[in-house]
Amino acid sequence: MQTPVVLIVFRRPDVTRRNLDVLRQVRPEQLFVVADGPRPDRPDEAASCAAVRELIDEIDWPCKVERKLAERNLGLEANVELGLDWVFSQVDRAIVLEDDCIPDPSFFSYAEELLTRYADEKRVWQIGGDTHLVPKEMFHGYSYGFSTWASVWGWATWADRWQDHRAEFDRDHAGAEERVDQVPRTADAHRTHVAVPHPDALVTEAARKHFTFVSTETDGDRYGWDHHWWVTIMSRQGLSIMPCVNLVEHDGYGEGATHTRAAKDPVPADSLDLPLRHPPVVELNVDAERELELVLLRTDGRLSRLARKLIRPLWMRALVRRVLEVPVVWRVVRRLVGQ
């Protein structure tokens, strides 16, 4: 496979090994490894970070491996943003995987073909691999559809789109490598100008409120790099691509995760039939977008974040989540809180 692959790793050799087992099947010619370092207050992490890097040294197919290895902990936000800045200063496109995002091999054919097909279609910013269980019938028989935002649990993009985003959202994480405090903190979220989502980018009022709030948030710890990436896309009325079946298994739930600590079972990756069946026009799939927006608000809206602060035990969060996943219950709760 000629398209470069980025593998973002930290301290989990088990999921990193699973990822490398899939990469061994598709044999990318160029692999960029972006590895964060151990946290100063976690003495056990030095060994686990070293174990992950040893796995990279065992790559046994013909491959040019580029390494960006942090000696100290940068934190998730700095590691991803600075890592992708480094990658896209060298190549014009890439497929991006975090260590716990385990793709089906067909994900690479899908991403590689669409990176070529839409390279000059500037409305398209991102190619996603995870569906968040959007029903297949919403894709009307095509292999993928166009949404405004798409999951970054296995995704791909082009250097010009990423660099355009970073020129606007230009936090540089200055001093991250020299940080000595015990509680890592992200640099403040900073935009060169306020980038409010375009009125036509989203289809639910709740999502418009959510992302408008994100677009003006200056606390870099409140929302992740992915939210800010999506806001840039929304402000330009851009589009993302989402496959009709789930192509990437997110195996990052539980106590070892940075954000997804809830006790959930991962959705297995499925295989996508080839050749791809392309939608005839580049336009928003409103049905799929609406479904995606509701998924995001259930998992990362202000109500969900408040619930995580109030409900600490993971088993209790799982119980509440099952109740909220009933559509009628979720609609009632949203009306009560005005989201």
Side-chain angles (χ1 to χ4, degrees), residues 149-196:
W149 76 279
S151 174
V152 291
W153 290 348
W155 62 294
T157 193
W158 300 264
D160 59 351
R161 275 71 147 185
W162 178 258
Q163 291 163 354
D164 201 7
H165 162 63
R166 292 288 283 141
E168 178 176 296
F169 186 71
D170 63 349
R171 61 178 176 186
D172 60 6
H173 302 281
E177 292 187 353
E178 291 75 38
R179 188 183 58 230
V180 295
D181 54 297
Q182 299 299 302
V183 182
R185 179 173 171 77
T186 298
D188 288 340
H190 176 263
R191 286 187 180 273
T192 57
H193 62 278
V194 177
V196 177

Coordinates of all heavy atoms in Angstrom, one line a residue, residues 149-196:
W149 N -19.6 15.9 10.1 CA -18.5 15.4 10.9 C -18.5 13.8 10.8 O -19.5 13.2 10.5 CB -18.6 15.8 12.4 CG -19.7 15.1 13.2 CD1 -21.0 15.3 13.2 CD2 -19.4 14.0 14.1 NE1 -21.6 14.4 14.0 CE2 -20.7 13.6 14.6 CE3 -18.3 13.3 14.5 CZ2 -20.8 12.5 15.5 CZ3 -18.4 12.2 15.4 CH2 -19.7 11.9 15.9
A150 N -17.3 13.3 11.1 CA -17.2 11.8 11.1 C -16.2 11.4 12.2 O -15.3 12.2 12.6 CB -16.7 11.3 9.7
S151 N -16.3 10.2 12.7 CA -15.4 9.8 13.7 C -13.9 9.8 13.3 O -13.6 9.6 12.2 CB -15.8 8.3 14.1 OG -14.9 7.8 15.1
V152 N -13.1 10.0 14.3 CA -11.6 9.9 14.1 C -11.1 8.6 14.6 O -9.9 8.5 14.9 CB -10.9 11.1 14.7 CG1 -11.2 12.4 13.9 CG2 -11.2 11.3 16.2
W153 N -11.9 7.7 14.8 CA -11.5 6.3 15.2 C -11.1 5.6 13.9 O -11.9 4.7 13.5 CB -12.6 5.6 16.0 CG -12.8 6.2 17.4 CD1 -12.0 7.1 18.0 CD2 -13.9 5.9 18.2 NE1 -12.5 7.4 19.2 CE2 -13.7 6.7 19.4 CE3 -15.0 5.1 18.2 CZ2 -14.6 6.6 20.5 CZ3 -15.9 5.1 19.2 CH2 -15.7 5.8 20.4
G154 N -10.0 5.9 13.4 CA -9.6 5.4 12.1 C -10.1 6.4 11.0 O -11.3 6.5 10.7
W155 N -9.2 7.2 10.4 CA -9.6 8.2 9.5 C -8.5 8.6 8.5 O -7.4 8.1 8.7 CB -10.1 9.5 10.2 CG -9.1 10.2 11.1 CD1 -8.5 9.7 12.2 CD2 -8.5 11.5 10.9 NE1 -7.6 10.6 12.7 CE2 -7.6 11.7 12.0 CE3 -8.7 12.5 9.9 CZ2 -6.9 12.9 12.1 CZ3 -8.0 13.7 10.1 CH2 -7.1 13.9 11.1
A156 N -8.8 9.5 7.6 CA -7.7 9.9 6.6 C -8.0 11.3 6.2 O -9.2 11.7 6.2 CB -7.7 8.9 5.4
T157 N -7.0 12.0 5.8 CA -7.2 13.4 5.3 C -5.9 13.7 4.4 O -5.0 12.9 4.3 CB -7.4 14.4 6.4 OG1 -7.9 15.6 5.8 CG2 -6.1 14.6 7.2
W158 N -6.0 15.0 4.0 CA -4.9 15.5 3.1 C -4.2 16.6 3.9 O -4.7 17.3 4.7 CB -5.5 16.1 1.9 CG -6.3 15.1 1.0 CD1 -5.8 14.4 -0.1 CD2 -7.7 14.8 1.2 NE1 -6.9 13.7 -0.6 CE2 -8.0 13.9 0.2 CE3 -8.7 15.2 2.1 CZ2 -9.3 13.3 0.0 CZ3 -9.9 14.6 2.0 CH2 -10.2 13.7 0.9
A159 N -2.9 16.8 3.5 CA -2.1 17.8 4.2 C -2.7 19.2 4.1 O -2.7 20.0 5.1 CB -0.7 17.8 3.6
D160 N -3.2 19.6 2.9 CA -3.7 20.9 2.8 C -4.9 21.2 3.7 O -5.0 22.3 4.2 CB -4.0 21.2 1.3 CG -5.1 20.3 0.7 OD1 -5.5 19.3 1.3 OD2 -5.5 20.6 -0.4
R161 N -5.8 20.2 3.9 CA -6.9 20.4 4.8 C -6.4 20.5 6.2 O -6.8 21.4 7.0 CB -7.9 19.2 4.7 CG -8.9 19.3 3.6 CD -8.4 19.1 2.2 NE -9.3 18.5 1.3 CZ -9.0 18.1 0.1 NH1 -7.8 18.3 -0.4 NH2 -9.9 17.5 -0.6
W162 N -5.5 19.7 6.7 CA -5.0 19.7 8.0 C -4.3 21.0 8.3 O -4.5 21.7 9.3 CB -4.1 18.6 8.3 CG -3.5 18.6 9.7 CD1 -2.3 19.0 10.1 CD2 -4.2 18.3 11.0 NE1 -2.1 19.0 11.5 CE2 -3.3 18.5 12.0 CE3 -5.5 17.9 11.3 CZ2 -3.6 18.4 13.3 CZ3 -5.8 17.7 12.6 CH2 -4.9 17.9 13.6
Q163 N -3.5 21.4 7.3 CA -2.7 22.7 7.5 C -3.6 23.9 7.5 O -3.3 24.9 8.2 CB -1.6 22.8 6.4 CG -0.5 21.8 6.6 CD 0.3 21.5 5.4 OE1 0.0 22.1 4.3 NE2 1.4 20.8 5.5
D164 N -4.7 23.9 6.7 CA -5.6 24.9 6.7 C -6.3 25.1 8.1 O -6.5 26.2 8.6 CB -6.7 24.7 5.6 CG -7.4 25.9 5.2 OD1 -7.0 27.0 5.6 OD2 -8.4 25.8 4.4
H165 N -6.7 23.9 8.7 CA -7.2 23.9 10.0 C -6.2 24.5 11.0 O -6.6 25.3 11.9 CB -7.6 22.5 10.4 CG -7.8 22.3 11.9 ND1 -8.8 22.9 12.6 CD2 -7.1 21.5 12.7 CE1 -8.7 22.5 13.9 NE2 -7.7 21.7 14.0
R166 N -5.0 24.0 11.0 CA -4.0 24.4 12.0 C -3.6 25.9 11.8 O -3.2 26.6 12.8 CB -2.8 23.5 11.9 CG -3.1 22.1 12.3 CD -3.3 22.0 13.8 NE -2.0 22.0 14.5 CZ -1.8 22.6 15.6 NH1 -2.7 23.3 16.3 NH2 -0.6 22.6 16.2
A167 N -3.7 26.5 10.6 CA -3.5 27.9 10.4 C -4.5 28.7 11.2 O -4.2 29.8 11.7 CB -3.5 28.3 9.0
E168 N -5.7 28.2 11.3 CA -6.8 28.8 12.0 C -6.8 28.5 13.5 O -6.9 29.4 14.3 CB -8.1 28.4 11.4 CG -9.3 29.0 12.1 CD -10.6 28.7 11.3 OE1 -10.8 29.1 10.2 OE2 -11.4 28.0 11.9
F169 N -6.6 27.2 13.8 CA -6.6 26.7 15.2 C -5.1 26.5 15.5 O -4.6 25.4 15.4 CB -7.4 25.5 15.3 CG -7.6 25.0 16.7 CD1 -8.3 25.7 17.6 CD2 -6.9 23.9 17.2 CE1 -8.5 25.3 18.9 CE2 -7.1 23.4 18.5 CZ -7.8 24.1 19.4
D170 N -4.4 27.5 15.9 CA -2.9 27.5 15.8 C -2.2 27.3 17.2 O -1.1 27.8 17.4 CB -2.4 28.8 15.2 CG -2.8 30.0 15.9 OD1 -3.6 30.0 16.9 OD2 -2.2 31.1 15.6
R171 N -2.9 26.6 18.2 CA -2.2 26.4 19.4 C -0.9 25.6 19.2 O -1.0 24.6 18.5 CB -3.1 25.8 20.5 CG -3.6 24.4 20.1 CD -4.4 23.9 21.3 NE -5.0 22.6 20.9 CZ -5.9 22.0 21.7 NH1 -6.3 22.5 22.9 NH2 -6.4 20.8 21.3
D172 N 0.2 26.0 19.7 CA 1.5 25.4 19.4 C 2.0 24.5 20.6 O 3.0 23.9 20.5 CB 2.5 26.4 19.1 CG 2.8 27.4 20.2 OD1 2.2 27.3 21.3 OD2 3.5 28.4 19.9
H173 N 1.2 24.4 21.7 CA 1.6 23.6 22.8 C 3.0 23.9 23.3 O 3.8 23.0 23.7 CB 1.5 22.1 22.5 CG 0.2 21.7 22.0 ND1 -0.9 21.4 22.9 CD2 -0.4 21.5 20.8 CE1 -2.0 21.1 22.2 NE2 -1.7 21.1 20.9
A174 N 3.4 25.2 23.2 CA 4.7 25.6 23.6 C 5.0 25.2 25.1 O 4.2 25.3 26.0 CB 4.9 27.1 23.5
G175 N 6.2 24.6 25.2 CA 6.6 24.1 26.6 C 6.1 22.8 27.0 O 6.4 22.3 28.1
A176 N 5.3 22.1 26.1 CA 4.8 20.8 26.5 C 5.8 19.8 26.9 O 5.7 19.0 27.8 CB 3.9 20.2 25.3
E177 N 6.9 19.7 26.1 CA 8.0 18.8 26.4 C 8.7 19.1 27.7 O 9.4 18.2 28.3 CB 9.0 18.7 25.2 CG 8.3 18.1 24.0 CD 9.3 17.9 22.9 OE1 10.5 18.3 23.1 OE2 9.0 17.3 21.9
E178 N 8.7 20.4 28.1 CA 9.4 20.7 29.4 C 8.5 20.7 30.6 O 9.0 21.0 31.7 CB 10.0 22.1 29.2 CG 11.2 22.2 28.2 CD 10.7 22.2 26.8 OE1 9.7 22.8 26.5 OE2 11.4 21.5 26.0
R179 N 7.2 20.4 30.4 CA 6.3 20.5 31.5 C 6.7 19.5 32.6 O 7.1 18.4 32.4 CB 4.9 20.1 31.0 CG 3.8 20.3 32.1 CD 2.5 19.8 31.5 NE 2.6 18.4 31.2 CZ 2.2 18.0 30.0 NH1 1.7 18.7 29.1 NH2 2.3 16.7 29.7
V180 N 6.7 20.0 33.9 CA 7.1 19.2 35.0 C 6.0 19.0 36.0 O 6.2 18.3 37.0 CB 8.3 19.8 35.7 CG1 9.5 19.8 34.8 CG2 8.0 21.2 36.2
D181 N 4.8 19.6 35.8 CA 3.7 19.5 36.8 C 3.2 18.1 36.7 O 3.3 17.4 35.7 CB 2.6 20.5 36.5 CG 2.1 20.5 35.1 OD1 2.9 20.8 34.2 OD2 1.0 20.2 34.9
Q182 N 2.6 17.6 37.8 CA 2.1 16.3 37.8 C 0.7 16.1 37.1 O 0.4 14.9 36.8 CB 1.9 15.9 39.3 CG 3.2 15.9 40.1 CD 4.3 14.9 39.5 OE1 4.0 13.7 39.4 NE2 5.4 15.5 39.1
V183 N 0.0 17.1 36.9 CA -1.3 17.0 36.2 C -1.2 17.7 34.8 O -1.2 18.9 34.7 CB -2.4 17.7 37.0 CG1 -3.7 17.6 36.3 CG2 -2.4 17.2 38.4
P184 N -1.0 16.9 33.8 CA -0.8 17.4 32.4 C -2.0 18.3 32.1 O -3.2 18.0 32.4 CB -0.8 16.2 31.5 CG -0.4 15.1 32.4 CD -0.9 15.4 33.8
R185 N -1.7 19.4 31.4 CA -2.7 20.4 31.0 C -2.5 20.8 29.5 O -1.3 21.0 29.1 CB -2.7 21.6 31.9 CG -3.8 22.6 31.4 CD -3.9 23.8 32.4 NE -4.8 24.8 31.7 CZ -6.1 24.7 31.7 NH1 -6.7 23.6 32.2 NH2 -6.8 25.6 31.1
T186 N -3.6 20.8 28.8 CA -3.5 21.2 27.4 C -3.3 22.7 27.3 O -3.9 23.5 28.1 CB -4.8 20.8 26.6 OG1 -4.8 19.4 26.7 CG2 -4.8 21.2 25.2
A187 N -2.6 23.2 26.2 CA -2.6 24.6 26.0 C -3.9 25.1 25.7 O -4.8 24.4 25.2 CB -1.6 24.9 24.8
D188 N -4.2 26.4 26.0 CA -5.5 27.0 25.7 C -5.9 26.8 24.3 O -5.1 27.0 23.4 CB -5.5 28.4 26.1 CG -5.5 28.6 27.6 OD1 -5.8 27.7 28.4 OD2 -5.1 29.7 28.1
A189 N -7.2 26.6 24.0 CA -7.7 26.5 22.7 C -7.7 27.9 22.1 O -8.2 28.8 22.7 CB -9.1 25.9 22.7
H190 N -7.1 28.1 20.9 CA -7.0 29.4 20.3 C -7.3 29.3 18.9 O -6.7 28.5 18.1 CB -5.5 29.9 20.6 CG -5.3 31.2 19.9 ND1 -4.7 31.3 18.7 CD2 -5.6 32.5 20.3 CE1 -4.6 32.6 18.3 NE2 -5.2 33.3 19.3
R191 N -8.1 30.3 18.4 CA -8.4 30.4 17.0 C -8.0 31.8 16.6 O -8.1 32.8 17.3 CB -9.9 30.2 16.7 CG -10.2 28.7 16.8 CD -11.7 28.5 16.3 NE -12.0 27.1 16.4 CZ -11.7 26.2 15.4 NH1 -11.2 26.6 14.3 NH2 -12.0 24.9 15.6
T192 N -7.5 31.9 15.3 CA -7.1 33.2 14.8 C -8.4 34.1 14.6 O -8.3 35.3 14.6 CB -6.4 33.1 13.5 OG1 -7.2 32.4 12.6 CG2 -5.1 32.4 13.7
H193 N -9.5 33.5 14.4 CA -10.8 34.2 14.4 C -11.9 33.2 14.8 O -11.7 32.0 14.6 CB -11.1 34.8 13.0 CG -11.2 33.8 11.9 ND1 -10.1 33.2 11.3 CD2 -12.3 33.2 11.4 CE1 -10.5 32.4 10.4 NE2 -11.9 32.3 10.4
V194 N -13.0 33.7 15.3 CA -14.1 32.8 15.7 C -14.7 32.1 14.5 O -15.0 32.8 13.5 CB -15.2 33.6 16.4 CG1 -16.4 32.7 16.8 CG2 -14.6 34.2 17.7
A195 N -14.8 30.8 14.6 CA -15.2 30.0 13.4 C -16.5 29.3 13.9 O -16.5 28.1 14.3 CB -14.2 29.0 13.0
V196 N -17.6 30.0 13.8 CA -18.9 29.4 14.2 C -19.4 28.5 13.1 O -19.2 28.8 11.9 CB -19.9 30.6 14.4 CG1 -21.3 30.0 14.7 CG2 -19.5 31.5 15.5

